[in-house]
Amino acid sequence: MDQLVRQQIIDLIKREVVPAVGCTEPVAVALCVAKATELLGQVPDKIELSLSGNIIKNAMGVGIPGTGMIGLPIAVALGALVGKSEYSLEVLRDVTPEAVEAGKRYISEGRISVALEPNAPSNLHIDVRVGGDGHSARVIISGAHTNFILMEKDGVLVFEKVESDIGIESGTSADPELNMRMVYDFATTAPIQEISFILESKRLNLAAAEHALAGNYGHCLGSTVRHFGEKFFGDTPVAHAITLTSAACDARMGGALVPVMSNSGSGNQGITATMPVVSYAMDINASEEDTIRALVLSHLTSIYIKQSLGRLSALCGCVVASTGATSGLVYLMGGGYEQVCDAVKNMVANLTGMICDGAKPSCSMKISSGVSTAMMSAMLAMQGFAVTSAEGIISDDVDETVHNLTSIGRDSMQATDKLVLKIMTCK
């Protein structure tokens, strides 16, 4: 592979696979509030937010790290009180019990208002206005979780990303247009020293899983499978993968103040792209090089799918990330490109249509469905079985199959997305 293209892919992975503390939607809101507060130069007297539906959907029921609370208000308050925009998606890492109490008081004083922006230019759109002592500031994030596109102070434009088409969910003009062959060739042939940084995803997400297994977070699916699941799952690679993957999600959705390695703006996607591969690699005592290559294949496959799906949609992100995971599992099982393609087709045939109804503790259950399907799809592929073009939405070409998936999630499920949000907000 050409060295320039290889470097572009490395840059892409390093931009899309980054640490995050907490669910990335409320964290992105906190980041936007923190930046607006810094621009204002003081803790705001009031904060007004106008948000896209997907931001609201993914922030309603999820735990906010270090708070024991769920939802946007505490994330907003802490973004203003202790958030630091220089921390990016770890903006809330300085949260303390004292800060949480101050945040509760800030909320009780009625300083925060949240509104739906029905005509947002992106599914990921955050417009924050703050004011205090006769001054004001406005900051907008759009298209990606850390993509600042506008900043104003007292009505005067400070920054505007005029060259950015905010309708494009992610990416830059320098990004290569990926396909499955390119993803596979990069992961399996890139010099190992150039891609070994991906092991940080193993370190962070495994630590999050172990933190959850030692505690009590979310629905405790990981610890339940570990301690009570042998009767049902046995002492198997599938059980181990479900345990570690769902445990890391338990911690993240339950509000543990621990970082995870995200993928394409989602911590759960980063966990799902990482932990099944890590778990199976540990089970078979895979070499470090094989583990690295399998992780790169998994993460880059997920990034590839997200290029055409977009940051946020009605399609659950575990569908994307577990499709990445099945690619990594096939590699560790000794499969090649054809087996990877077969496993991807098996995944699309099975999980397409799983809805996203917001970030919340029960995401660990959806992730576990993705993990078990990833293992099953890889196993079938290694035995020479793949869903064919005579069946459903699968095409002979793997890239066409991927785009069938993403067109359904991006376009056809828009009405589903609106109905999901209506149901969630009207209960």
Side-chain angles (χ1 to χ4, degrees):
M1 179 176 290
D2 179 82
Q3 185 176 356
L4 175 60
V5 174
R6 200 169 70 233
Q7 187 57 53
Q8 289 175 333
I9 294 175
I10 290 170
D11 292 342
L12 173 62
I13 296 172
K14 287 184 175 180
R15 192 175 67 248
E16 297 289 9
V17 181
V18 296
V21 175
C23 176
T24 47
E25 278 69 63
V27 165
V29 173
L31 174 62
C32 200
V33 170
K35 177 64 78 173
T37 299
E38 292 162 2
L39 198 58
L40 184 67
Q42 66 179 77
V43 174
D45 294 333
K46 61 179 180 178
I47 304 173
E48 298 175 349
L49 303 99
S50 182
L51 308 174
S52 59
N54 282 81
I55 291 290
I56 293 175
K57 180 180 74 173
N58 281 339
M60 288 180 62
V62 69
I64 306 303
T67 69
M69 301 171 68
I70 64 171
L72 274 172
I74 190 64
V76 171
L78 292 173
L81 294 171
V82 298
K84 291 184 175 65
S85 66
E86 66 192 78
Y87 293 167
S88 191
L89 292 180
E90 296 180 275
V91 61
L92 297 180
R93 73 185 189 196
D94 288 343
V95 168
T96 63
E98 293 76 19
V100 173
E101 291 306 311
K104 291 177 181 177
R105 290 193 297 272
Y106 194 93
I107 294 168
S108 69
E109 292 165 358
R111 298 175 182 268
I112 300 169
S113 64
V114 179
L116 171 67
E117 174 49 70
N119 299 312
S122 167
N123 283 341
L124 198 166
H125 190 77
I126 305 162
D127 188 341
V128 173
R129 299 171 188 262
V130 298
D133 290 340
H135 295 282
S136 65
R138 182 188 184 193
V139 175
I140 298 177
I141 286 176
S142 193
H145 293 78
T146 60
N147 186 40
F148 292 97
I149 66 165
L150 182 140
M151 300 179 196
E152 291 179 352
K153 172 69 180 292
D154 291 330
V156 177
L157 188 65
V158 174
F159 168 81
E160 185 176 19
K161 188 176 281 189
V162 293
E163 76 279 6
S164 173
D165 179 0
I166 61 175
I168 299 175
E169 298 296 330
S170 63
T172 72
S173 59
D175 289 343
E177 187 175 344
L178 298 173
N179 57 54
M180 202 64 227
R181 180 84 244 187
M182 185 186 299
V183 167
Y184 179 83
D185 287 348
F186 173 84
T188 57
T189 66
I192 198 67
Q193 68 272 15
E194 293 184 6
I195 58 175
S196 59
F197 64 87
I198 203 69
L199 285 175
E200 184 67 2
S201 68
K202 172 184 176 180
R203 187 186 72 81
L204 285 182
N205 293 342
L206 184 57
E210 291 170 344
H211 183 85
L213 291 170
N216 184 15
Y217 294 97
H219 294 301
C220 296
L221 179 57
S223 60
T224 299
V225 173
R226 169 167 284 187
H227 297 297
F228 304 104
E230 187 168 347
K231 174 181 176 181
F232 306 100
F233 292 100
D235 184 15
T236 65
V238 174
H240 303 161
I242 290 174
T243 294
L244 291 178
T245 310
S246 60
C249 181
D250 286 334
R252 180 173 179 267
M253 296 288 94
L257 193 58
V258 295
V260 302
M261 191 65 80
S262 66
N263 182 298
S264 303
S266 167
N268 281 350
Q269 287 171 195
I271 289 168
T272 308
T274 303
M275 292 314 299
V277 176
V278 167
S279 179
Y280 185 64
M282 292 192 300
D283 276 348
I284 65 172
N285 294 315
S287 68
E288 182 173 88
E289 177 171 344
D290 282 348
T291 301
I292 290 169
R293 294 196 184 281
L295 282 170
V296 169
L297 181 55
S298 177
H299 277 281
L300 191 56
T301 299
S302 302
I303 292 168
Y304 161 49
I305 298 172
K306 291 292 285 187
Q307 279 188 331
S308 57
L309 178 63
R311 289 288 180 176
L312 300 176
S313 74
L315 185 69
C316 177
C318 93
V319 176
V320 175
S322 56
T323 302
T326 203
S327 302
L329 290 170
V330 166
Y331 179 83
L332 289 173
M333 292 175 183
Y337 177 68
E338 294 303 323
Q339 287 76 33
V340 166
C341 293
D342 286 349
V344 169
K345 292 176 185 179
N346 293 340
M347 291 294 295
V348 174
N350 192 325
L351 288 185
T352 298
M354 182 184 286
I355 65 167
C356 171
D357 54 344
K360 58 208 176 302
S362 60
C363 285
S364 62
M365 299 170 70
K366 292 187 177 185
I367 281 176
S368 296
S369 297
V371 172
S372 59
T373 304
M375 189 67 78
M376 178 177 63
S377 296
M379 179 183 68
L380 283 171
M382 291 301 295
Q383 295 302 312
F385 297 110
V387 178
T388 70
S389 60
E391 304 172 68
I393 64 170
I394 304 307
S395 298
D396 287 328
D397 181 78
V398 68
D399 296 302
E400 286 184 11
T401 298
V402 167
H403 289 114
N404 293 342
L405 165 71
T406 59
S407 63
I408 289 171
R410 184 188 63 246
D411 302 325
S412 299
M413 293 179 71
Q414 287 187 13
T416 300
D417 211 19
K418 293 176 182 178
L419 180 58
V420 167
L421 180 62
K422 179 179 178 181
I423 292 171
M424 291 175 65
T425 55
C426 294
K427 289 189 293 184

